[in-house]
């Protein structure tokens, strides 16, 4: 607890955190609830997500990037909790975790990115949309920077394969 | 076929838009969080107490509204604003009195900010809100923040290099604190106005007179 309290020691960080909390906690609950299907578990996931957010640099203002960050971290914490509570954890990419399906791909690169399995989508969005480094993403998602680099490479290969299969020329 | 970083950077905004547009809007995400959750979040948020008092106040407001009775404006003495220093530790607080009259929450904003500051963050409207915050900043991250809440106690502890004094903001008693750390400094002003507690902070870039001018020009 001392660590994350220290992380919010700066008034600027506290203001950012409070703004994020006020604006997106409902959204984060919704994201977690549709995966976990239980209010208490969803609140646990949201709380864990805010602990992660409190430890890292947050977007300077509310908007799509902050919303993306909040939803992504809440989704990750909910999936982690979901997996922890399964007797037989699902595959690494959690493609069969209910409630976290992305919008269907339309064959474009953007569409294919949005439709990736959660782990791939989360990493790509935090890296290429939010602009976080591998170390920062690792902190948000509870992984190591090396994990993030591996997942990024896997996601790129997957996107390339998917678009090639659809006949897209890049 | 190879997916490059540049391609992903270009596609990411649209991918994010697609992902976010599949999520519900704010109104559809309303959820009354449990007291246990609120309790766990408390260490991460500014100290506020008096939840039970606020619940009673909300209930009273509902009863008053049902009876069609007008709710009069709160009085300046709705809160007790005070500070005390001991052994280098400053404690300052705004505590609601027992007879705080519930109100419909109206946002208070900054009616005037110095040149060079632009809106940075602002709480989104919520139907049952009892809290509002807004902040402005300059390009080099000097900023001013105003927080406003109703029916809740605020208490804070400060250590280090600070000076404090009682102050008056538009006739209301308040606490003015000046803190300094390394090359930066911070002004804090805590006071109550009717049913609201107001907390104004400024980090760098302002003199005391300008800071109080912001407080004196809040927009109701």
């Amino acid at each position: 607890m001392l660590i994350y309290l220290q992380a919010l020691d700066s008034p600027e960080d506290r203001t950012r955190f409070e703004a994020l909390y006020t604006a997106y906690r409902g959204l984060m609950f919704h994201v977690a609830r549709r995966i976990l299907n239980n209010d208490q578990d969803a609140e646990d996931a949201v709380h864990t997500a805010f602990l992660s957010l409190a430890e890292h640099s947050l977007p300077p203002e509310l908007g799509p990037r902050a919303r993306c960050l909040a939803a992504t971290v809440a989704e990750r914490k909910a999936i982690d909790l979901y997996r922890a509570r399964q007797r037989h954890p699902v595959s690494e990419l959690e493609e069969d975790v209910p409630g976290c399906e992305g919008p269907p791909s339309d064959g474009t690169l953007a569409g294919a990115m949005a439709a990736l399995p959660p782990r791939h989508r989360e990493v790509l969005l935090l890296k290429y949309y939010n602009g976080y480094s591998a170390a920062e993403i690792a902190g948000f998602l509870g992984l190591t920077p090396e994990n993030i680099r591996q997942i990024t490479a896997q996601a790129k290969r997957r996107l390339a394969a998917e678009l090639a299969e659809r006949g897209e020329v890049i | 076929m190879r997916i490059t970083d540049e391609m992903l950077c270009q596609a990411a905004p649209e991918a994010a838009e697609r992902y976010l547009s599949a999520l519900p809007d704010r109104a559809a995400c309303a959820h009354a969080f449990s007291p246990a959750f609120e309790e766990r979040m408390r260490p991460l948020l500014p100290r506020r107490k008096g939840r039970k008092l606020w619940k009673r106040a909300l209930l009273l407001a509902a009863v008053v509204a049902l009876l069609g009775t007008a709710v009069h404006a709160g009085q300046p003495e709705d809160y007790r604003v005070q500070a005390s220093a001991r052994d280098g530790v400053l404690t300052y607080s705004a505590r609601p009195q027992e007879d705080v009259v519930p109100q419909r929450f109206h946002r208070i904003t900054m009616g005037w900010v110095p040149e060079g500051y632009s809106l940075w963050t602002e709480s989104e409207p919520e139907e049952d809100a009892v809290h509002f915050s807004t902040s402005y900043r300059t390009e080099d991250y000097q900023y001013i923040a105003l927080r406003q809440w109703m029916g809740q106690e605020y208490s804070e502890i400060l250590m280090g290099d600070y000076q404090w004094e009682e102050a008056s903001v538009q006739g209301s008693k308040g606490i003015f604190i000046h803190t300094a750390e390394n090359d930066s400094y911070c002004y804090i002003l805590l006071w109550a106005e009717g049913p609201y507690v107001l907390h104004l902070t400024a980090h760098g870039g302002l003199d005391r007179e300008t800071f109080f001018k912001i407080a004196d020009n809040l927009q109701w």
Side-chain angles (χ1 to χ4, degrees):
Chain A
M1 178 178 287
L2 285 176
I3 293 171
Y4 67 73
L5 285 177
Q6 284 169 3
L8 287 175
D9 199 35
S10 127
E12 184 178 307
D13 287 342
R14 290 173 71 104
T15 302
R16 288 182 185 185
F17 182 83
E18 191 180 7
L20 198 78
Y21 175 75
T22 305
Y24 301 125
R25 66 179 189 158
L27 172 70
M28 293 166 72
F29 175 82
H30 175 89
V31 167
R33 176 70 172 74
R34 69 182 187 177
I35 293 168
L36 293 161
N37 204 30
N38 175 288
D39 283 4
Q40 181 59 55
D41 288 348
E43 288 191 356
D44 288 346
V46 172
H47 177 247
T48 309
F50 275 116
L51 293 182
S52 278
L53 291 169
E55 292 175 351
H56 301 93
S57 59
L58 300 176
E61 54 195 14
L62 299 180
R65 281 185 171 76
R67 190 164 184 255
C68 183
L69 173 67
T72 298
V73 176
E75 179 184 79
R76 172 49 38 202
K77 300 307 176 189
I79 291 173
D80 287 348
L81 187 56
Y82 177 88
R83 294 183 64 186
R85 295 193 174 174
Q86 299 303 301
R87 187 168 296 178
H88 301 291
V90 293
S91 66
E92 172 60 21
L93 292 178
E94 308 114 350
E95 289 175 88
D96 50 356
V97 173
C100 55
E101 305 82 5
S105 174
D106 61 358
T108 65
L109 180 55
M113 273 178 80
L116 282 170
R119 179 77 86 190
H120 285 163
R121 167 168 35 82
E122 291 159 8
V123 169
L124 293 194
L125 288 180
L126 291 180
K127 180 177 176 65
Y128 295 103
Y129 182 59
N130 285 79
Y132 286 113
S133 67
E136 288 171 315
I137 298 168
F140 282 127
L141 302 185
L143 298 168
T144 67
E146 183 54 33
N147 290 150
I148 300 303
R149 283 186 276 274
Q150 289 172 357
I151 292 167
T152 303
Q154 288 169 4
K156 285 180 177 177
R157 288 197 294 273
R158 183 177 180 123
L159 286 172
E162 182 174 326
L163 295 180
E165 191 174 302
R166 286 172 175 264
E168 293 289 321
V169 177
I170 299 175
Chain B
M1 181 179 297
R2 183 168 174 270
I3 305 289
T4 65
D5 287 348
E6 186 180 6
M7 291 160 63
L8 290 170
C9 284
Q10 288 176 352
E14 189 183 335
E17 167 62 25
R18 287 170 185 245
Y19 169 61
L20 294 175
S21 65
L23 300 175
D25 61 20
R26 187 185 177 89
C29 292
H31 171 67
F33 283 89
S34 68
F37 174 84
E38 303 280 4
E39 188 63 32
R40 283 187 292 167
M41 287 303 300
R42 183 175 294 182
L44 292 168
L45 298 166
R47 294 178 180 196
R48 290 181 209 129
K49 299 175 184 173
R51 287 177 43 79
K52 288 180 180 175
L53 175 65
W54 168 242
K55 283 183 177 175
R56 289 200 298 270
L58 196 62
L59 182 62
L60 177 60
V63 171
V64 168
L66 280 172
L67 294 174
T69 306
V71 178
H72 299 292
Q75 299 302 306
E77 62 270 24
D78 279 348
Y79 298 85
R80 182 176 172 84
V81 179
Q82 57 187 2
S84 64
R86 187 174 178 182
D87 298 330
V89 178
L90 176 68
T91 304
Y92 58 104
S93 61
R95 293 194 166 87
Q97 304 296 318
E98 284 301 318
D99 55 352
V100 170
V101 179
Q103 301 278 302
R104 180 185 170 83
F105 190 85
H106 291 286
R107 291 173 164 215
I108 300 173
T109 57
M110 286 185 245
W112 177 86
V113 294
E115 194 173 343
Y117 285 81
S118 56
L119 184 63
W120 183 20
T121 61
E122 187 172 87
S123 304
E124 291 185 19
E126 283 183 353
E127 195 170 330
D128 58 349
V130 292
H131 173 256
F132 174 67
S133 65
T134 182
S135 66
Y136 288 73
R137 75 169 193 201
T138 63
E139 287 186 353
D140 56 351
Y141 283 87
Q142 293 170 346
Y143 75 93
I144 313 159
L146 175 68
R147 300 211 310 269
Q148 169 203 1
W149 60 91
M150 179 170 70
Q152 296 172 315
E153 178 178 324
Y154 176 83
S155 178
E156 193 65 84
I157 294 174
L158 192 63
M159 291 178 282
D161 187 3
Y162 65 82
Q163 296 174 305
W164 74 278
E165 62 190 82
E166 290 191 354
S168 175
V169 184
Q170 295 189 323
S172 296
K173 178 189 167 187
I175 304 296
F176 172 68
I177 303 163
H178 177 189
T179 70
E181 187 173 345
N182 300 325
D183 293 331
S184 65
Y185 68 91
C186 172
Y187 288 149
I188 300 168
L189 191 54
L190 176 71
W191 78 104
E193 184 75 40
Y196 306 116
V197 176
L198 293 149
H199 184 273
L200 182 67
T201 53
H203 295 265
L206 298 181
D207 56 35
R208 176 186 168 132
E209 185 181 355
T210 306
F211 180 65
F212 272 83
K213 184 175 176 182
I214 297 167
D216 286 332
N217 284 279
L218 297 184
Q219 204 162 49
W220 291 67

